[in-house]
Amino acid sequence: MNDLVRQHTALSDTDLEWLHLLVSEWQLLSDLSFADLVLWVPTRDGTRYVSVAQMRPNTGPTSYQDDMVGHLVPRGRRPLLDAALDEGRIVREGDPEWREEVPVRVESIPVRREGRVLGVIARNTNLLTVRTPSRLELTYLQSASDLAQMIAAGSFPFPGQQVDMDASPRVGDGLVRLDADGVVQYASPNGLSAYHRLGLASDLVGQHLGGITAELAPSRGPVDEALVKLASGYAPREFEVECTGGVIQLRAIPLKPKGVRIGSLVLLRDVTELRRRERELITKDATIREIHHRVKNNLQTVAALLRLQARRMDSEQGREALNEAVRRVGSIAIVHETLSQNLDERVEFDEIADRVIAMVAEISPGKVTCRRTGRFGILDAEVATPLAMVLTEVLQNALEHAFGVAESGTVEVSAVRGGSSTEARLLITVQDDGCGLPEGFDPQRTGNLGLQIVRTLVEGELSGTFGMVPAPERGTRVILDIPVRADK
């Protein structure tokens, strides 16, 4: 719609925002009218109309099999559009049109904003299945007529009331029509069923909806007065009412076809099962986070015990082996700590990498600087945990073997994500400017326990590749290439 309006019309950005607000709401008008809606806007030179939006009803057959958006119609070909635009009134004159052997009643509703007519809604009703209307259909049509008059007067949609139609109640979910005092004139079967779910034992018709809703809802003192007002439809609001029996979502729409409120529409939906599932998911997420938190605490306890044992060791070699184990356990604890703060099983690995780098840098024998470039991005937990251990081992190996006791140097960790959205990959490079690899060193066959752990984790758990080669100028470069899920 943005492209069509800016290409063909002279409407301002604020006018375009009003049309967007209208289009976000007009599924309601389409369903109440049992009709297709097409929004026509005059072109910049005033000689044609361009259709910028279309809506089909969920409550009846469509009048258009084809998509009408983008069509251009010369002025004069559709007199009802001209009359509605020029006179600023709803035009219903004329005989039904025949489209592919289907009779269609066409009406035109001017779209007004701040006294100006921005365009015209063509309301097209398929008359092929016309029959004697029921009480429900008559209520729908009367409500649609009231909304159409409000659109023509510029009082609907309501400014600042952007509605998410995917989450809000729809006409078919349940509808209650109120008079100006908030008394129920009509309640659809679904609407009545929703209130029975809350505990209502009688009929709704003839009762004050705000009072009944406040009686069914748990008592909250002064809040009851606000609930009475909301359920009586005095203002455009969306809210929920929860009782022992269930939860219903309500949306109140005041009807002011001639500037004075004559009543209200209340759309409602039974969301009991939806809210129950949401609570289950919240409970599940909280349980998972608590598990990660406890695992982190247990790992930190294990690390503390290993650290105590290392201090009691007489052998320098044994003490160093226990310290390495402490760092390995610590890297896993960092991942679980991060997972305990998230709502899903994915983590921002850059924070974990920085903490691992800081933890390993504490063992630096000299003045060695560790830094990170690039971005790891968001990773799944099953990737983050082994990758944290791999990064710990590679950094620990570089700091222990690349530099002497008093030497200074640099270790740089680089991360680059690439590949397609379906086959994303993470390329990690750890490069130092130390003494380099020994003569004849083969990282795939030789190496200490740390390199064996790296090979096992990268090739086994991460399904990636691991390589260790001399750096271009000086030192050693470790290259890790692993598949990851796309980082959205």
Side-chain angles (χ1 to χ4, degrees), residues 175-412:
L175 178 144
V176 177
R177 173 87 186 218
L178 309 179
D179 64 13
D181 297 323
V183 176
V184 178
Q185 294 179 312
Y186 176 79
S188 71
N190 285 344
L192 184 59
S193 296
Y195 265 84
H196 284 167
R197 183 74 178 264
L198 291 183
L200 179 68
S202 60
D203 194 3
L204 270 176
V205 176
Q207 303 205 53
H208 191 277
L209 187 67
I212 285 292
T213 305
E215 289 177 10
L216 295 173
S219 178
R220 296 188 181 92
V223 181
D224 288 345
E225 296 182 8
L227 183 59
V228 170
K229 283 282 187 181
L230 289 173
S232 299
Y234 286 97
R237 292 288 186 274
E238 192 169 313
F239 57 99
E240 287 188 3
V241 176
E242 181 172 0
C243 303
T244 306
V247 184
I248 60 171
Q249 181 183 14
L250 299 96
R251 183 190 173 202
I253 303 169
L255 297 176
K256 303 177 180 179
K258 296 181 180 180
V260 179
R261 193 175 72 86
I262 63 169
S264 305
L265 274 183
V266 177
L267 305 180
L268 50 96
R269 175 192 295 168
D270 185 349
V271 293
T272 304
E273 293 303 315
L274 178 63
R275 295 296 176 259
R276 182 185 62 81
R277 289 195 297 268
E278 287 178 352
R279 290 191 183 98
E280 288 179 352
L281 288 174
I282 292 172
T283 302
K284 180 182 176 182
D285 289 339
T287 302
I288 292 173
R289 290 199 300 271
E290 178 63 20
I291 289 172
H292 284 302
H293 181 71
R294 294 189 181 189
V295 170
K296 182 263 297 184
N297 289 343
N298 291 337
L299 289 172
Q300 288 180 339
T301 301
V302 172
L305 292 174
L306 291 173
R307 198 176 293 112
L308 287 173
Q309 187 65 40
R311 292 172 184 169
R312 295 175 178 269
M313 291 287 292
D314 295 330
S315 168
E316 182 65 28
Q317 186 177 3
R319 187 182 303 112
E320 184 56 35
L322 288 176
N323 286 331
E324 288 183 3
V326 169
R327 287 187 286 273
R328 288 166 185 152
V329 173
S331 64
I332 302 175
I334 290 173
V335 176
H336 282 282
E337 181 180 2
T338 305
L339 287 169
S340 69
Q341 301 169 1
N342 289 352
L343 294 177
D344 54 18
E345 290 291 289
R346 306 195 78 195
V347 294
E348 179 64 62
F349 196 80
D350 294 323
E351 178 186 350
I352 294 175
D354 292 340
R355 294 181 62 180
V356 167
I357 291 171
M359 179 182 68
V360 178
E362 294 177 356
I363 70 165
S364 173
K367 297 180 180 179
V368 179
T369 302
C370 297
R371 63 170 179 260
R372 173 179 65 86
T373 61
R375 181 175 175 271
F376 288 86
I378 298 175
L379 300 177
D380 294 329
E382 57 265 26
V383 174
T385 301
L387 183 57
M389 283 197 66
V390 167
L391 191 59
T392 301
E393 297 298 334
V394 172
L395 287 170
Q396 190 169 289
N397 189 70
L399 292 173
E400 286 184 356
H401 302 291
F403 306 100
V405 175
E407 289 183 342
S408 61
T410 302
V411 178
E412 181 174 322

Side-chain angles (χ1 to χ4, degrees), residues 18 43 111 139 162 166 168 186 204 272 302 394 397 402 419-420 426 456 484:
W18 183 261
T43 57
V111 178
T139 303
Q162 188 76 31
D166 292 332
S168 294
Y186 176 79
L204 270 176
T272 304
V302 172
V394 172
N397 189 70
S420 64
L426 177 60
T456 302
V484 294

